[in-house]
Amino acid sequence: MPEDRSVAVEYSVDNGVALIRLNNPPVNALSISGGLIDAVASALADSLADERCRTILIAGAGRIFCGGADIRDFNGDLAALDAVRRMMNSVERAAKPVVMALHGFALGGGLELAMCGHYRVAARGSWLGLPEVTLGILPGSGGTQRLPRLIDTDKALSMMLDGKPVSAEEALTLGLIDRIVDGDVVAGARAFIAESVDLACRPTRDMAVKGDAQAAVDKARTVIRKRSIGKARDHIIACVEAAATGSVDAGLATEAALLADLMHSDASRGLRHAFFGQRTVARIPDLPGDAVARPIRSVGIVGGGLMGTGIAIAVLNAGLPITMVEMRADALDKAAATIARTIQRDVEKGRLSQDKADARIAAYTPAGGMDALADADLVIEAVFEDLGVKQQVFTQLGDIVGPDAILASNTSTLDLDAIAAFAPLPERVVGLHFFSPANIMKLLEVVRGAKTAPDVLASAMAFARAIGKVGVVAGVCDGFIGNRMFEEYLRQVWFLLEEGALPQQIDKALENWGMAMGPCRTMDLAGQDIGWSVRKRRAVEQPDRPYSKVIDKICERGRFGQKTGKGLYLYPDGRTATVDPEIDALIVGHSADIGLQRRAIDDAEIVSRCVLAMANEGARIVGEGIAYRPVDVDIIYLNGYGFPAERGGPLFHADRIGLPQLLETIRGYAAGRHGWAWEPAPLLVELAESGKRFEDLNA
């Protein structure tokens, strides 16, 4: 019978094999505080002393082998990692053969532990990887030293620099594992042990680094992404170089020292904030305990345009059937063709089997009338951003769908409560604001209306997870969280144009700072006509908050961006932004027309004004309760707006600047031109004056 060792490890000996099974749900994290590390070390010592045991087998309970170290153990005290390293070194130096039985995932510290074993058997369909770089750190328990001793150094570097896992099949080809088994991996590992009569200890540390290590290191240094703000990739390469040129112990010392440097870096702090933040935003603070998500088995979409088509692909890829309603036959045909072409492209790239692709395409049903949505559990409206058009949709849906169906609007700026008022039961209306392209972008703003029922909100968040999105709850206001902040960002961009900057300088400054795409190129991509429409509406609704007219002058010329071949830039090939002297002249002429003397604006001012405008509005949004927490704002910007992950989001970045200093800078801008746009958010003032941070509100 297995011996239960404080739950963290199950231990048993059978037919000469000691089974040590990790049992720390849900991902068998290598936790020090949870007792797993001590339990493994204790079980290992017992197995070495047990005369009944000839071979040691280490496996994982539940659905995966091990998801890695518990990073929270090391946030404040890196010395705690020494206990993990000691345990792994003991496994590697064991005087009896150690076989690792891997299933599901062996990631990060989980794979580092597996590499300390003398043999590795993996279940078919499992995945192995070292994703630490995505947190701005490196494998810190020997991974940088052991992986290039098991597989070619070039591929080892690739795995660590990209952070992408490899399949069991690829791992076998690389030499990372010794066998793939079908069915129960422990049974398969026992069979492997039984068949291997001469099974001997085979410490990874005793192996030579594989391949032309120096050539691989030199190559990696030339291809790492130069835009990366953090040092993780450089440090990983340095560790592998140490593995190739020195002893194992010296390499491990280098690895430990460089990990310590990374753990305390701003980039890693930002990436870890983003990692844990995605868990935090899934928690809805005021959701009653009895709010149970409704089952969503079928989805209806109203609107077959670009957004509706993208949503359809995202839903189909999640394995849910959809019915798309579009009154225009040509648009419906175009949507069907786009859906089929996009799914088929995944087959061509090897991401999807043809059978699965055919099943997804077959799950799409086009329809020309609303009656086809009668049985849908969720209907998502994705029609033109006009309140009157949406009124027609919701009024019709109320008479067609079942009493438990959820009605969702994809509106990006309109008042969800006004839209919900058109439905017979506003309690079942919620906002699902997808970001374009909807089948690719990870963010989904889940908008809670004044009357949205708790179980409907819970259902919307569950739906977000089901289709692979990061759902973040937002309250009702113009633009919700993301677009409301983006408006203040753009307001400064347009003011900077008329004050002395040009589009290419603004874009370059912000891209060099880390933004995925500069704002001028972003709006050309999204369509300048969309922003123009919003500005015209807000000119009526918010006459006291004007924009620069320079961008409207460009739109008045029919320059809407890529879709028209020209916007703030020219697009001679339909995609590549090219500086247009005509636009530069128009911008300079506009400054003269309004009597403004243009001045030299440096990149630092561009970044400061644009980023601080977002942070200030984000603080206002949190203070108003539109966002539950500052981290909700950060996760929206990291997943939907190309904010650099290494900087952690607008409000995390504000904490790093220091709120008193940030407030002083904002007050300086408030004393200048268009100072009305820089009124400090009350929450920012409160936190700065009390010595607190936004992080203190992320409960």
Side-chain angles (χ1 to χ4, degrees):
M1 293 292 291
E3 180 183 338
D4 184 341
R5 301 189 170 215
S6 302
V7 181
V9 160
E10 297 171 4
Y11 180 80
S12 62
V13 180
D14 181 40
N15 197 27
V17 178
L19 174 62
I20 301 173
R21 194 187 288 271
L22 314 180
N23 186 13
N24 184 26
V27 296
N28 293 326
L30 298 178
S31 172
I32 298 170
S33 57
L36 182 62
I37 297 303
D38 286 345
V40 172
S42 175
L44 178 67
D46 288 351
S47 63
L48 292 172
D50 194 331
E51 294 182 356
R52 299 172 299 164
C53 167
R54 296 187 302 274
T55 307
I56 300 165
L57 177 59
I58 299 179
R63 293 182 295 177
I64 72 171
F65 172 72
C66 177
D70 187 343
I71 197 71
R72 293 186 191 274
D73 281 343
F74 319 122
N75 271 350
D77 180 18
L78 271 176
L81 191 56
D82 289 341
V84 180
R85 293 171 177 144
R86 284 194 299 271
M87 180 272 288
M88 291 192 181
N89 288 336
S90 296
V91 170
E92 186 175 47
R93 293 190 176 104
K96 297 178 181 180
V98 179
V99 178
M100 297 287 175
L102 314 178
H103 76 290
F105 291 94
L107 300 176
L111 180 55
E112 289 184 291
L113 173 60
M115 290 191 291
C116 291
H118 305 145
Y119 304 89
R120 283 155 295 281
V121 174
R124 192 176 303 280
S126 52
W127 293 84
L128 298 79
L130 295 173
E132 285 84 354
V133 71
T134 62
L135 295 180
I137 56 177
L138 54 76
S141 297
T144 66
Q145 304 304 297
R146 294 187 177 100
L147 188 59
R149 286 178 161 83
L150 289 169
I151 69 174
D152 188 84
T153 302
D154 185 64
K155 182 58 181 180
L157 276 164
S158 176
M159 283 181 64
M160 290 186 282
L161 294 175
D162 292 340
K164 296 177 181 178
V166 297
S167 66
E169 290 76 11
E170 184 176 357
L172 181 64
T173 301
L174 293 171
L176 184 53
I177 63 174
D178 299 284
R179 179 177 291 186
I180 291 178
V181 299
D182 293 303
D184 180 70
V185 71
V186 171
R190 287 185 183 277
F192 172 80
I193 293 169
E195 295 166 17
S196 305
V197 179
D198 297 323
L199 205 63
C201 296
R202 191 178 63 173
T204 304
R205 65 182 292 124
D206 293 345
M207 300 177 182
V209 171
K210 288 185 167 50
D212 188 338
Q214 193 58 55
V217 165
D218 293 342
K219 172 187 170 185
R221 285 203 169 108
T222 64
V223 300
I224 59 172
R225 289 179 284 183
K226 300 299 183 183
R227 271 188 53 217
S228 180
I229 296 168
K231 300 176 287 185
R233 290 182 174 84
D234 289 319
H235 281 7
I236 288 170
I237 294 170
C239 287
V240 173
E241 188 169 42
T245 57
S247 68
V248 173
D249 289 333
L252 291 171
T254 297
E255 178 187 88
L258 294 182
L259 174 64
D261 180 53
L262 291 173
M263 287 292 287
H264 294 107
S265 68
D266 283 345
S268 180
R269 291 180 191 275
L271 289 164
R272 281 179 277 151
H273 172 74
F275 176 77
F276 292 119
Q278 291 201 173
R279 301 180 184 181
T280 302
V281 299
R283 300 196 301 266
I284 305 175
D286 56 3
L287 195 68
D290 59 354
V292 179
R294 303 182 186 186
I296 296 176
R297 295 171 293 260
S298 62
V299 178
I301 298 173
V302 181
L306 182 65
M307 183 58 74
T309 301
I311 295 171
I313 295 168
V315 175
L316 290 168
N317 284 343
L320 290 171
I322 69 151
T323 298
M324 175 181 282
V325 172
E326 170 58 62
M327 307 305 177
R328 300 166 299 163
D330 58 336
L332 200 58
D333 291 342
K334 182 179 179 180
T338 301
I339 290 168
R341 184 172 61 252
T342 303
I343 293 174
Q344 191 61 38
R345 192 178 300 133
D346 283 342
V347 175
E348 295 165 1
K349 292 182 177 181
R351 299 171 182 164
L352 191 66
S353 70
Q354 188 63 57
D355 288 347
K356 288 184 178 179
D358 292 342
R360 289 180 187 182
I361 294 170
Y364 166 74
T365 302
M370 293 284 202
D371 290 346
L373 304 176
D375 297 325
D377 297 313
L378 167 68
V379 178
I380 304 170
E381 163 271 307
V383 299
F384 185 69
E385 190 76 340
D386 177 85
L387 193 60
V389 176
K390 294 180 187 294
Q391 176 180 4
Q392 294 177 9
V393 171
F394 277 82
T395 300
Q396 290 181 58
L397 286 175
D399 296 329
I400 292 170
V401 299
D404 295 324
I406 296 171
L407 305 181
S409 174
N410 181 54
T411 181
S412 57
T413 59
L414 297 178
D415 186 339
L416 182 72
D417 291 331
I419 294 171
F422 303 137
L425 293 173
E427 294 84 359
R428 59 177 173 171
V429 175
V430 68
L432 291 178
H433 176 208
F434 287 82
F435 286 70
S436 185
N439 55 306
I440 295 173
M441 296 294 287
K442 296 289 290 184
L443 178 63
L444 180 58
E445 267 187 323
V446 177
V447 186
R448 66 179 193 278
K451 295 185 178 179
T452 301
D455 67 324
V456 170
L457 187 59
S459 302
M461 290 293 281
F463 174 69
R465 289 191 296 273
I467 63 173
K469 303 297 183 187
V470 178
V472 184
V473 175
V476 175
C477 66
D478 194 346
F480 312 124
I481 296 174
N483 281 345
R484 176 171 160 182
M485 290 170 61
F486 197 66
E487 281 304 302
E488 297 311 310
Y489 175 69
L490 288 178
R491 194 186 308 278
Q492 292 304 314
V493 170
W494 309 144
F495 286 157
L496 284 162
L497 286 179
E498 65 183 19
E499 290 172 26
L502 291 172
Q504 54 271 24
Q505 182 195 359
I506 293 174
D507 282 351
K508 184 177 180 181
L510 285 157
E511 288 168 7
N512 287 343
W513 186 78
M515 296 294 287
M517 183 180 289
C520 299
R521 287 206 301 135
T522 295
M523 290 309 296
D524 269 4
L525 177 64
Q528 294 287 357
D529 52 329
I530 296 172
W532 192 26
S533 174
V534 171
R535 289 191 299 275
K536 285 187 282 189
R537 173 174 64 81
R538 285 180 176 156
V540 176
E541 298 173 355
Q542 303 173 9
D544 57 332
R545 299 185 63 80
Y547 299 88
S548 164
K549 296 294 184 183
V550 66
I551 187 63
D552 290 346
K553 284 186 175 180
I554 293 167
C555 290
E556 286 164 3
R557 297 188 176 199
R559 300 181 63 123
F560 298 147
Q562 285 192 28
K563 66 175 70 176
T564 57
K566 51 188 177 180
L568 284 164
Y569 296 96
L570 287 175
Y571 296 89
D573 63 358
R575 297 188 64 181
T576 305
T578 303
V579 174
D580 186 355
E582 180 183 333
I583 287 298
D584 290 358
L586 184 153
I587 292 169
V588 171
H590 171 77
S591 300
D593 290 344
I594 62 175
L596 188 61
Q597 179 67 45
R598 291 179 68 82
R599 61 183 176 86
I601 299 176
D602 62 24
D603 290 358
E605 180 182 345
I606 291 171
V607 171
S608 176
R609 283 173 58 177
C610 291
V611 175
L612 266 58
M614 283 191 283
N616 191 42
E617 194 64 18
R620 200 180 309 280
I621 286 168
V622 175
E624 293 173 5
I626 300 299
Y628 284 121
R629 297 150 295 227
V631 70
D632 295 41
V633 169
D634 289 337
I635 295 302
I636 281 177
Y637 261 76
L638 292 171
N639 286 278
Y641 291 85
F643 199 93
E646 295 94 337
R647 297 194 186 274
L651 298 186
F652 182 84
H653 180 67
D655 276 345
R656 276 161 50 173
I657 293 173
L659 299 193
Q661 179 182 338
L662 185 142
L663 178 59
E664 181 181 354
T665 302
I666 285 177
R667 283 175 169 160
Y669 291 143
R673 183 172 184 263
H674 289 306
W676 55 267
W678 288 104
E679 180 184 353
L683 178 61
L684 172 59
V685 175
E686 177 188 334
L687 292 174
E689 293 181 350
S690 64
K692 294 182 179 179
R693 305 171 303 157
F694 287 116
E695 179 62 30
D696 297 327
L697 305 181
N698 286 330

